[in-house]
Amino acid sequence: APLTTEFFLQGSVMENSLETLVNRLKGLCDNADYQQESFQDHEMVFHIKNTSVPTPLVFRVRHSLVQTECWSLRYLGHAEVGDKNRPTLVRSYIDCPTSENVAQFIGELGFRMDHEFVVKGFYFHKGRMKITVSKFYKMNQPGNTTNDTIETVCPSYLVELSVVTSSGQEAVGDDMKNFAEQLKPLVTLEKTDHRKIQLAQT
Amino acid sequence: MGVVCVFACPVPEGKSGQQVVDGLQKQVEMMGATKSGNFLVDCETYQSNPQNVTQTPQQCVVNILHNSEHPASCFSVTESGQILVSDLLFEDLMSKLTMAKAGRESFYSQRKGFKIESRGQRYEVGDFIIKIGSVSLASNFRGILIEVEYCPCVILNECWNMMKELLQSMVGNSAETPPPVLKHKPDTVYTPSDTILQYLDHFNNFRKAVSAPPPSR
């Protein structure tokens, strides 16, 4: 099967701008007359290590806290900035629907959980573009996703505009750039260089 | 989706596998069964790299099976019997585990010469689906597997006697009792994973018998 690629742009908004952004997105996106779609997911990040090199392979188990039968196993490659002519970030992306025992299964393959979190927010579609507005929560008790045991990581919302398609579809980036222009100045969606975030942590 | 039982059909001395398959096909057609295409159940095996950092020192083995009856799915089974039912995209994830990158060995590698499959004709007769499969291990004929599905029922205990009657007419006394994989769950709802476990059980038996010379094709 051809491996898929995610083209994406990221930005953030403060809590007090959320309502304005959501209303703007409702106006620009598909299905404006329907109630906006929200999501509440729990993600567990697993690592498998090899003594030959320290960087682990990372797989993510994600499931909905609302539709509890929906589980998936995901792989996200490193976000590449590419040259300055490319309008979006790019990374390889695999999102595989699975049965509910996926965490136990990959545990038996040799994966160990590194960390977990809860993410809640809204999502919108415009054609093949997906826009999510998400807030992240850390879990104070391992495995417990109830509201009284989770707390927000920070007050802002992460805004992501993405398209998942087979690699080589570079025209996608231009459509996304045009859409992102329509969200300014509410939110600036750009190619954040993830390496700078990682360097800041060390 | 009903209850499925898979049994090996013995190949008598002096007869070839093809002769036995032809005989079974004639028998099924005499019952009034109509051909409804081909079927394939296949299995690839992967083993972990001893350099993986894991809590247990033993090597992990995972079998990945496909069943043409469920073409969009992939079934992955660990040694403990844990089965992951997933989209075929799981194979892309598996290729991340088997890919060696610059400076790092892969986490898993494919076991060479272990690929095994059961392939053959699919028949429908009344409420039954019958599949007569020739089993090949690394392209060598290894035996015959008969699969019988009784579609209207999902509990083994409620239809075993009837399935046994049909199975015994084809495979004889090896169908005296239900498949070992199903023995501990005769009253639970049957699922496609149970079929996969039966095939894997048979495939492992065929793989173990590899030291003995194969029956003639």
Side-chain angles (χ1 to χ4, degrees):
Chain A
L3 286 181
T4 42
T5 303
E6 186 182 32
F7 295 82
F8 65 109
L9 289 168
Q10 296 174 313
S12 67
V13 290
M14 299 293 285
E15 180 89 53
N16 51 15
S17 306
L18 176 71
E19 202 179 324
T20 321
L21 175 63
V22 164
N23 282 333
R24 182 105 176 95
L25 284 166
K26 264 161 84 168
L28 289 171
C29 295
D30 301 336
N31 296 333
D33 355 327
Y34 294 94
Q35 199 182 4
Q36 79 227 15
E37 307 268 18
S38 64
F39 66 93
Q40 291 184 45
D41 290 348
H42 169 213
E43 185 162 303
M44 294 174 267
V45 182
F46 286 80
H47 289 187
I48 187 168
K49 293 185 175 127
N50 193 296
T51 52
S52 63
V53 149
T55 44
L57 178 66
V58 181
F59 276 6
R60 296 160 180 274
V61 170
R62 189 148 176 163
H63 73 114
S64 169
L65 294 171
V66 173
Q67 290 163 312
T68 52
E69 69 283 5
C70 292
W71 288 74
S72 65
L73 185 59
R74 308 163 83 217
Y75 170 81
L76 298 176
H78 291 295
E80 282 166 45
V81 175
D83 61 54
K84 58 182 187 324
N85 292 328
R86 175 182 268 162
T88 68
L89 289 164
V90 165
R91 63 185 166 194
S92 61
Y93 176 97
I94 304 170
D95 190 340
C96 174
T98 67
S99 48
E100 294 177 21
N101 58 336
V102 55
Q104 296 92 302
F105 179 85
I106 64 171
E108 289 193 28
L109 290 186
F111 282 86
R112 291 291 163 260
M113 190 171 82
D114 182 73
H115 65 274
E116 56 182 343
F117 56 88
V118 167
V119 53
K120 300 188 190 187
F122 306 100
Y123 65 93
F124 304 84
H125 283 106
K126 183 160 181 70
R128 55 184 176 166
M129 292 189 287
K130 179 171 89 169
I131 303 98
T132 56
V133 180
S134 328
K135 197 170 219 184
F136 290 80
Y137 298 78
K138 62 179 162 101
M139 293 162 62
N140 292 326
Q141 284 176 26
N144 199 334
T145 55
T146 52
N147 286 334
D148 53 339
T149 58
I150 62 175
E151 62 181 272
T152 54
V153 171
C154 74
S156 338
Y157 283 79
L158 174 68
V159 184
E160 286 183 300
L161 167 63
S162 63
V163 173
V164 174
T165 181
S166 50
S167 32
Q169 301 258 320
E170 299 295 336
V172 158
D174 294 323
D175 292 341
M176 291 172 67
K177 187 171 150 199
N178 293 336
F179 184 82
E181 286 297 312
Q182 296 183 67
L183 290 175
K184 289 178 178 170
L186 279 180
V187 63
T188 311
L189 294 175
E190 51 195 7
K191 287 165 68 172
T192 323
D193 190 339
H194 287 205
R195 290 169 301 181
K196 290 193 179 142
I197 304 171
Q198 280 154 6
L199 281 171
Q201 283 173 344
T202 53
Chain B
M1 173 86 240
V3 174
V4 173
C5 288
V6 183
F7 281 90
C9 185
V11 178
E13 277 290 326
K15 272 198 163 175
S16 73
Q18 192 55 53
Q19 284 175 317
V20 176
V21 166
D22 289 343
L24 286 164
Q25 287 183 337
K26 279 205 181 69
Q27 184 185 354
V28 159
E29 282 162 20
M30 290 271 286
M31 273 185 227
T34 48
K35 283 187 188 172
S36 56
N38 296 316
F39 81 95
L40 171 64
V41 177
D42 64 75
C43 175
E44 285 271 18
T45 307
Y46 297 83
Q47 64 202 17
S48 60
N49 184 330
Q51 287 192 324
N52 289 355
V53 176
T54 54
Q55 285 181 348
T56 54
Q58 303 108 286
Q59 196 171 47
C60 303
V61 169
V62 62
N63 286 290
I64 300 191
L65 292 98
H66 303 96
N67 185 343
S68 54
E69 205 69 19
H70 310 289
S73 304
C74 171
F75 300 84
S76 309
V77 191
T78 61
E79 281 174 302
S80 71
Q82 183 88 236
I83 306 184
L84 185 76
V85 183
S86 65
D87 186 279
L88 289 174
L89 283 171
F90 184 76
E91 288 171 13
D92 290 350
L93 289 167
M94 211 51 215
S95 71
K96 293 287 174 200
L97 282 168
T98 56
M99 197 166 56
K101 275 182 136 170
R104 188 191 68 199
E105 295 190 21
S106 61
F107 296 97
Y108 274 80
S109 51
Q110 203 170 36
R111 258 194 186 164
K112 296 271 186 286
F114 258 64
K115 179 158 178 151
I116 187 167
E117 61 177 43
S118 177
R119 185 191 285 268
Q121 196 73 233
R122 182 184 190 275
Y123 291 89
E124 286 176 15
V125 53
D127 291 327
F128 291 89
I129 296 174
I130 301 173
K131 295 171 185 161
I132 300 167
S134 299
V135 177
S136 342
L137 171 61
S139 312
N140 295 315
F141 174 77
R142 283 279 141 204
I144 297 168
L145 285 176
I146 306 283
E147 180 192 312
V148 169
E149 178 176 351
Y150 179 60
C151 305
C153 189
V154 292
I155 307 281
L156 176 67
N157 256 354
E158 292 181 9
C159 58
W160 169 243
N161 287 329
M162 186 167 57
M163 291 184 79
K164 177 172 153 178
E165 212 179 293
L166 174 57
L167 282 158
Q168 283 188 322
S169 73
M170 298 173 78
V171 304
N173 284 331
S174 40
E176 185 59 37
T177 53
V181 157
L182 302 181
K183 276 195 183 118
H184 64 285
K185 40 155 85 173
D187 294 310
T188 54
V189 173
Y190 191 87
T191 68
S193 301
D194 295 321
T195 306
I196 288 298
L197 285 178
Q198 289 187 63
Y199 271 101
L200 186 56
D201 195 34
H202 286 291
F203 287 160
N204 284 335
N205 291 337
F206 284 120
R207 283 166 172 163
K208 277 183 208 144
V210 154
S211 48
S216 58
R217 201 182 250 292

